[in-house]
Amino acid sequence: MACPISLFCEVIIVIELKNVEIRYGDFVAIDNLNLTINEGEFFTFLGPSGCGKTTTLRALAGFNIPSRGQVLIDGRDVTEAPVEKRQIGMVFQSYALFPTMTVYENIAFGLRVRKMKADEIKRRVDEVAEKIRISSAQLDRNVSELSGGQQQRIALARAIIQEPKILCLDEPLSNLDAKLRIGLRGELKRLQRDLNITTLYVTHDQEEAMNLSDRIAVFNNGYIEQVGTPYEIYNNSASEFVCDFIGDINRLDGGILEEINRQTAGTGGKRLDAGKTGFIRLERVLSEPKEGCAGLTGTVEELEYDGMLARYLVNVCGQQVKCVEKNDGRAFFKRGQEIRLYVNPDYIMQF
Ligand SMILES: Nc1ncnc2c1ncn2[C@@H]1O[C@H](COP(=O)(O)OP(=O)(O)O)[C@@H](O)[C@H]1O
Ligand SMILES: [Mg+2]
């Protein structure tokens, strides 16, 4: 008998990209991309500028048509279907609102196009405005009077009022200042959870991606390097590119790796290839001994303290090793001090 719990855990695929190639003339922007996105998922395309995130999102929404491969939504081939047949809501970096209309008119626009009755439109605008925390006084204002953050809220309201099956957001927070970005990020996550809407999010900001996403696809130069949860991508990066892009990292070479191998021989820990670079996250470099770790002697070159954390730059056999420590009441190390660092080979990534 099937476990009843499995009913609740069933994963339903909403979006599927199969062997997708997208060209601009002779230029291949996306080469053979394969991806599935599940119902209710917050899924992020992450990567540096120009790597093909927007191009892929636009193929999903129907703004450009792949030169090869298929786009499926709910198992239906929509590769060449027009935008309006796909039930997708879009939010862009540039809010793309109608500047001469009021907030209300902007949000109601799509429903008016669909010739919905005025009282029904009013009911739905009020409902969405409440969800997105737009006050009734704001509804009567002209959009051009509002700040960037407020305008982006309205763009979001305009997208979700259509009750799309999929919400696509292309760098929606990139035009906003840091503080506002973090505030809106939290709200976006809350809203997505409340609506339980499958969401595709594009960003070049790794912290934003880590914070928001159920899963992330890391793009590089027209292809996907890795798909995984934020945890997997950070702790088990599939390539040097991902490892470097997703967070701060130490590079360890030759002599240090041999020394770690020597000290941890017979402990059952990972054997390192001293001929390749090893990568280890800063917080995995410890300043107190722990089982399975090798100890390395080094000299503190720099120290930065921000109240919660202390960051050290330590010279180990001529290599600079960064490490981060939480404030636990102990005295911090001093510049010039000789210290021991401890690393477990299992946390060293090699590609
Ligand atoms: N309309 C276009 N015509 C020609 N090349 C384009 C066009 N749009 C994007 N590109 C190119 O395709 C690549 C991917 O672009 P894009 O998808 O916008 O990247 P991202 O969103 O990741 O910054 C880039 O090299 C870009 O220059
Ligand atoms: Mg883009």
Side-chain angles (χ1 to χ4, degrees):
M1 201 176 82
C3 166
I5 289 176
S6 70
L7 289 174
F8 299 107
C9 299
E10 196 182 354
V11 171
I12 299 168
I13 294 172
V14 175
I15 299 164
E16 207 172 347
L17 302 181
K18 279 189 184 167
N19 308 112
V20 167
E21 178 194 81
I22 308 167
R23 290 168 170 271
Y24 295 107
D26 287 343
F27 174 67
V28 180
I30 294 295
D31 182 23
N32 198 30
L33 187 131
N34 287 282
L35 195 63
T36 57
I37 295 161
N38 305 323
E39 188 166 72
E41 212 170 17
F42 197 118
F43 194 98
T44 298
F45 293 171
L46 172 68
S49 173
C51 65
K53 307 179 296 293
T54 296
T55 299
T56 307
L57 193 75
R58 289 173 63 84
L60 171 69
F63 293 109
N64 54 27
I65 296 176
S67 39
R68 197 160 48 79
Q70 283 180 302
V71 179
L72 308 174
I73 296 179
D74 284 339
R76 206 163 52 87
D77 187 333
V78 297
T79 315
E80 302 198 9
V83 178
E84 61 279 6
K85 287 269 153 65
R86 302 192 187 196
Q87 284 184 277
I88 290 179
M90 287 287 294
V91 177
F92 305 94
Q93 177 174 350
S94 61
Y95 323 117
L97 298 169
F98 303 109
T100 58
M101 293 185 190
T102 64
V103 170
Y104 184 96
E105 288 165 340
N106 264 280
I107 299 174
F109 183 81
L111 303 183
R112 286 211 172 119
V113 170
R114 278 158 55 186
K115 306 236 179 318
M116 194 175 274
K117 286 207 189 86
D119 55 347
E120 173 65 6
I121 292 178
K122 166 111 181 47
R123 193 186 63 74
R124 290 191 35 185
V125 172
D126 288 343
E127 193 182 277
V128 167
E130 195 190 321
K131 274 201 189 100
I132 303 196
R133 297 179 186 161
I134 298 169
S135 69
S136 49
Q138 281 174 335
L139 283 175
D140 295 329
R141 306 217 359 225
N142 198 290
V143 289
S144 55
E145 296 170 50
L146 303 179
S147 69
Q150 285 167 324
Q151 291 198 35
Q152 200 53 303
R153 255 174 227 280
I154 291 151
L156 190 58
R158 189 180 58 176
I160 66 169
I161 200 164
Q162 305 262 27
E163 299 179 344
K165 185 163 182 60
I166 300 161
L167 185 61
C168 292
L169 306 115
D170 193 348
E171 310 249 6
L173 307 180
S174 297
N175 280 4
L176 308 174
D177 65 53
K179 202 165 166 205
L180 202 57
R181 212 157 53 218
I182 291 169
L184 265 181
R185 181 167 90 191
E187 279 192 49
L188 191 62
K189 185 70 192 163
R190 172 187 58 81
L191 186 74
Q192 193 265 345
R193 242 186 247 133
D194 287 356
L195 298 173
N196 193 27
I197 185 171
T198 307
T199 300
L200 254 167
Y201 192 88
V202 167
T203 184
H204 64 273
D205 180 329
Q206 58 87 15
E207 192 186 302
E208 209 170 279
M210 296 282 278
N211 262 277
L212 284 167
S213 317
D214 295 315
R215 285 194 303 151
I216 299 171
V218 183
F219 278 66
N220 178 21
N221 212 5
Y223 59 95
I224 293 177
E225 292 254 348
Q226 185 172 12
V227 176
T229 63
Y231 185 90
E232 287 164 349
I233 285 182
Y234 185 82
N235 291 296
N236 225 336
S237 306
S239 65
E240 182 174 343
F241 177 84
V242 173
C243 191
D244 221 10
F245 194 77
I246 204 73
D248 220 345
I249 195 91
N250 281 304
R251 292 179 147 72
L252 306 178
D253 286 307
I256 292 186
L257 300 179
E258 278 166 17
E259 177 59 20
I260 295 168
N261 273 340
R262 196 185 61 73
Q263 289 187 33
T264 58
T267 61
K270 186 157 97 184
R271 300 284 80 202
L272 303 169
D273 180 346
K276 289 186 189 163
T277 302
F279 298 85
I280 187 164
R281 298 279 173 214
L282 278 47
E283 69 280 10
R284 295 288 196 195
V285 178
L286 310 176
S287 61
E288 282 181 74
K290 204 172 173 187
E291 208 184 314
C293 285
L296 304 166
T297 302
T299 309
V300 178
E301 284 188 347
E302 296 292 342
L303 155 68
E304 252 178 42
Y305 172 56
D306 71 8
M308 181 165 69
L309 298 174
R311 296 163 201 279
Y312 299 106
L313 192 62
V314 182
N315 187 318
V316 180
C317 308
Q319 290 185 41
Q320 287 190 323
V321 179
K322 292 175 275 185
C323 61
V324 181
E325 267 199 321
K326 275 202 302 248
N327 179 8
D328 67 352
R330 275 188 312 132
F332 289 119
F333 298 129
K334 293 183 176 59
R335 193 170 294 117
Q337 187 177 348
E338 188 171 280
I339 61 167
R340 293 274 283 172
L341 295 176
Y342 300 90
V343 293
N344 187 323
D346 290 349
Y347 296 136
I348 297 180
M349 297 181 256
Q350 292 193 297
F351 310 108

